[in-house]
Amino acid sequence: MKTQLSEFRYTHCLRVERVSRGLAAEYGADVQKAGLAGLLHDYAKERSDDEFKQVIKSKNLDPDLLNYNNAIWHGIVGAEIVKDELGIADEDVLNAIRRHTVGSTNMTQVDKCVFVADFIEPERDFPGIDEAREYAEKSLDSAVAFELKHSIAHLIDKNREIYPATFESYNYWINKL
């Protein structure tokens, strides 16, 4: 991973791995899978747009993905890169990588651990981070709901397009807040 990522991204992945493992232990998820998915969640984050577009086309992924960008691609498409380059075949790990950017209506405990860990890892510092960490102490479900709400509000504030699956995830999880 060190050869694939900047030092900043690499150390972020190590922190997310650590937090994912801790959340998994606390909430009864598979610690090994949560740790591995946390470690690899941003493996493809620094790839070129052209590489992501090529993978979307060659793997026959949802063509609507081409209308978005790295913020979405590095999870959904990144899982395909992890599978091909690293030989990871465990769908629990791959799904956690896929779902860490937009969530899902059927997230597993492993998925939720990675989703939340990426948001609250110790070096994160933004308005609302303390509240996000408090939700993570309360329950994974409430932390997922808070993160989706916070992320959508942030995207709206920045006048950014929002991937439709993010709204589906939000609508499903918001009543868990």
Side-chain angles (χ1 to χ4, degrees):
M1 280 187 59
K2 265 190 134 165
T3 63
Q4 296 293 319
L5 300 170
S6 65
E7 183 66 19
F8 170 82
R9 186 65 46 199
Y10 176 72
T11 57
H12 164 70
C13 288
L14 294 176
R15 291 188 300 272
V16 172
E17 174 191 20
R18 193 167 46 253
V19 174
S20 291
R21 286 178 176 278
L23 290 170
E26 183 176 344
Y27 290 110
D30 186 308
V31 174
Q32 294 299 100
K33 289 180 181 189
L36 183 57
L39 178 66
L40 299 175
H41 80 286
D42 277 356
Y43 176 79
K45 176 95 172 160
E46 297 173 338
R47 303 296 176 99
S48 71
D49 288 0
D50 287 340
E51 183 175 351
F52 281 117
K53 290 175 184 176
Q54 189 277 324
V55 173
I56 291 167
K57 292 173 185 172
S58 70
K59 298 282 185 177
N60 295 312
L61 300 178
D62 180 359
D64 189 41
L65 284 167
L66 294 169
N67 297 317
Y68 293 90
N69 58 36
N70 183 291
I72 305 301
W73 295 336
H74 81 273
I76 297 169
V77 185
E80 299 301 322
I81 294 170
V82 165
K83 185 178 186 177
D84 290 348
E85 291 184 7
L86 302 179
I88 304 290
D90 187 312
E91 283 298 316
D92 292 336
V93 172
L94 295 171
N95 279 334
I97 295 168
R98 284 182 188 108
R99 295 170 177 164
H100 92 271
T101 55
V102 299
S104 171
T105 58
N106 59 353
M107 292 174 80
T108 66
Q109 288 293 91
V110 170
D111 297 342
K112 291 184 262 185
C113 288
V114 176
F115 190 78
V116 172
D118 185 32
F119 202 67
I120 67 165
E121 63 97 333
E123 294 296 315
R124 294 284 198 196
D125 186 21
F126 52 83
I129 188 61
D130 292 334
E131 190 176 3
R133 290 182 176 128
E134 289 170 14
Y135 276 108
E137 289 177 13
K138 181 174 146 185
S139 79
L140 282 176
D141 288 359
S142 67
V144 168
F146 177 82
E147 180 178 336
L148 286 163
K149 178 182 174 183
H150 187 276
S151 296
I152 287 173
H154 174 76
L155 291 168
I156 290 169
D157 188 54
K158 298 290 183 187
N159 295 316
R160 303 278 303 274
E161 288 187 54
I162 301 171
Y163 189 64
T166 308
F167 285 122
E168 291 173 20
S169 297
Y170 169 82
N171 287 339
Y172 178 84
W173 291 102
I174 195 59
N175 66 354
K176 315 258 190 264
L177 197 56

